[in-house]
Amino acid sequence: MLKNQPQRPAVRAVNAAARRGTAAPARRRGTLRWVAAVALCLALAGCSTAGAGAGSKPGVALRDAVVLEDPQAYVGLSTAVLNSPDLDPLDSPQEQVLPATVTDSQGTTVTVADTSRILAIDLYGTTARTVFELGLGANVVGRDVSSGFPEIAGLPLVTQNGHELSAEAILELAPTVIITDSSLGPWNAVLQMREAGIPLVVVDSHRSMDNVGPLIKQVADALGVPADGDRLAARTADAISAITAAIAGITPPDGRKLRMVFLYARGQSGIYYLFGPGSGTDSLITALGGVDVAAETGMQGMQPLTDEALVAARPDVVLMMTKGLESVDGVDGLLASVPSLAHTPAGEKRRIVDMADNDVLSFGPNTASVLEALSVAIYAPASTSAAVAG
């Protein structure tokens, strides 16, 4: 039985706010940010529940993997699977200091007095996992479709048709604080929560290796556990440093480094994008010891795939989301739908590396595990349970 069921006046306040059109400029700005973030998700349909590997056995640790002597010569598909998919909440969490007053990423001052019913939602599942890793998972009352780890999987969804927020579903959960970013929408639904009097903290929507720590701290500060935010950020940074050092020890020397590109696909809608600098994939590829060919060609952000760009990039490895690869019916379907790929080293060798949608670009407390899984799939694919030769 849920406690503190929402009051009908809150619903009426939401509806009244929508009719009044208050904060319209902010709503328009937020809507634009949301559209940019989720346009690639097929207008909010079918972009990531738990990806491949959910429910399967854990992946192999890099230290136990058999590394290829010549990564460029390998032929076939491989799937990156987390070696440590379980949560690892901080031990001895600090006592919360509430109320907590923060200035969020949009410059709004927010005071959070009650964290007994937390709703942490975003396109990547990052904020919810951060809350759980901070040791406050028992207070989480709902989830977005991207948050699919076992500890949260049974909670009610507040998204529908993929990543579209339902204001009614949120209000039914009576959250005492909402932590989100501008990646989910419609933005009007987000602003309606603030109009209903729910403390709403908007964290940074950018995801990359560069802001993993700051994002953790933003979430922790909003929940009144800043010291634990520092601890979790430091623990995550140490883990990232350790795995990137290990990866650096197995990558080929300059001149032989693998040329990598991240391809976003939703085959049922004919959506194909290359991700470049500004999308976060550039920092991921760099951490994996690869050459980001999208950056090399001068591409910025997320750009529609063109045959010319792909052939010019000449990638050795194509990184993809698992659901994206499934949407084109696997490697054969990808080569049929993107014929230009066959004219690249990656296409010739069917060198596709996929990873679960809700892991690969999450850039949260499990970033080191993501890097480890990808490094095994790239440099030691025979050690993965999902390697497909030929």
Side-chain angles (χ1 to χ4, degrees):
M1 179 71 67
L2 293 177
K3 298 182 294 182
N4 302 324
Q5 290 294 328
Q7 302 298 310
R8 292 293 96 189
V11 178
R12 289 197 294 270
V14 167
N15 294 334
R19 288 193 299 270
R20 290 196 306 270
T22 54
R27 181 168 64 248
R28 286 192 294 270
R29 290 194 299 271
T31 299
L32 289 174
R33 284 191 295 270
W34 169 68
V35 169
V38 299
L40 304 183
C41 288
L42 183 53
L44 307 173
C47 174
S48 101
T49 51
S56 63
K57 65 180 182 179
V60 176
L62 181 58
R63 64 178 177 273
D64 299 324
V66 179
V67 177
L68 296 169
E69 291 186 8
D70 183 5
Q72 288 185 335
Y74 184 79
V75 176
L77 165 72
S78 55
T79 296
V81 181
L82 294 177
N83 171 45
S84 301
D86 297 333
L87 291 170
D88 184 20
L90 291 173
D91 55 6
S92 303
Q94 75 167 104
E95 184 176 349
Q96 285 181 283
V97 179
L98 297 173
T101 299
V102 296
T103 301
D104 71 10
S105 67
Q106 295 185 335
T108 303
T109 299
V110 184
T111 297
V112 178
D114 182 355
T115 62
S116 63
R117 301 184 64 79
I118 302 168
L119 184 61
I121 49 177
D122 65 284
L123 184 66
Y124 317 92
T126 312
T127 53
R129 188 176 188 100
T130 301
V131 173
F132 273 79
E133 298 279 9
L134 287 168
L136 294 171
N139 295 11
V140 175
V141 295
R143 67 182 180 94
D144 53 64
V145 71
S146 295
S147 298
F149 47 91
E151 293 82 352
I152 200 175
L155 292 180
L157 278 171
V158 297
T159 50
Q160 57 190 11
N161 301 322
H163 296 281
E164 183 178 7
L165 288 174
S166 166
E168 186 70 19
I170 293 174
L171 289 169
E172 287 294 329
L173 296 177
T176 57
V177 58
I178 297 173
I179 299 177
T180 188
D181 60 16
S182 58
S183 64
L184 290 179
W187 191 245
N188 183 49
V190 178
L191 293 181
Q192 286 174 19
M193 299 304 105
R194 183 171 286 160
E195 290 289 331
I198 302 171
L200 172 69
V201 180
V202 182
V203 298
D204 190 1
S205 62
H206 180 61
R207 297 290 185 275
S208 77
M209 297 291 296
D210 301 327
N211 74 333
V212 172
L215 182 59
I216 290 172
K217 292 179 183 179
Q218 288 174 39
V219 174
D221 288 350
L223 297 178
V225 287
D228 281 349
D230 290 337
R231 288 173 59 204
L232 182 57
R235 187 185 79 179
T236 303
D238 289 346
I240 291 172
S241 295
I243 192 61
T244 51
I247 293 171
I250 64 171
T251 54
D254 289 343
R256 294 286 296 167
K257 290 185 181 296
L258 294 175
R259 299 171 58 79
M260 303 182 194
V261 69
F262 193 100
L263 173 63
Y264 179 97
R266 283 299 179 265
Q268 66 270 36
S269 298
I271 296 175
Y272 299 89
Y273 273 72
L274 292 180
F275 282 18
S279 68
T281 58
D282 52 330
S283 62
L284 188 71
I285 289 171
T286 298
L288 290 167
V291 176
D292 179 22
V293 296
E296 189 178 74
T297 60
M299 198 190 85
Q300 290 291 323
M302 308 169 188
Q303 300 291 331
L305 171 68
T306 65
D307 293 337
E308 295 80 5
L310 187 59
V311 172
R314 291 188 54 78
D316 297 307
V317 175
V318 174
L319 304 177
M320 296 186 68
M321 295 178 178
T322 298
K323 292 295 183 183
L325 186 59
E326 290 176 356
S327 76
V328 296
D329 297 324
V331 178
D332 286 336
L334 180 64
L335 290 169
S337 58
V338 186
S340 58
L341 181 60
H343 301 287
T344 71
E348 292 170 359
K349 296 183 175 68
R350 303 169 64 85
R351 194 71 165 97
I352 311 299
V353 174
D354 70 294
M355 189 172 193
D357 301 33
N358 54 336
D359 289 329
V360 65
L361 296 181
S362 57
F363 294 109
N366 65 333
T367 297
S369 295
V370 171
L371 288 172
E372 181 174 37
L374 285 168
S375 66
V376 171
I378 293 168
Y379 298 110
S383 299
T384 70
S385 60
V388 180

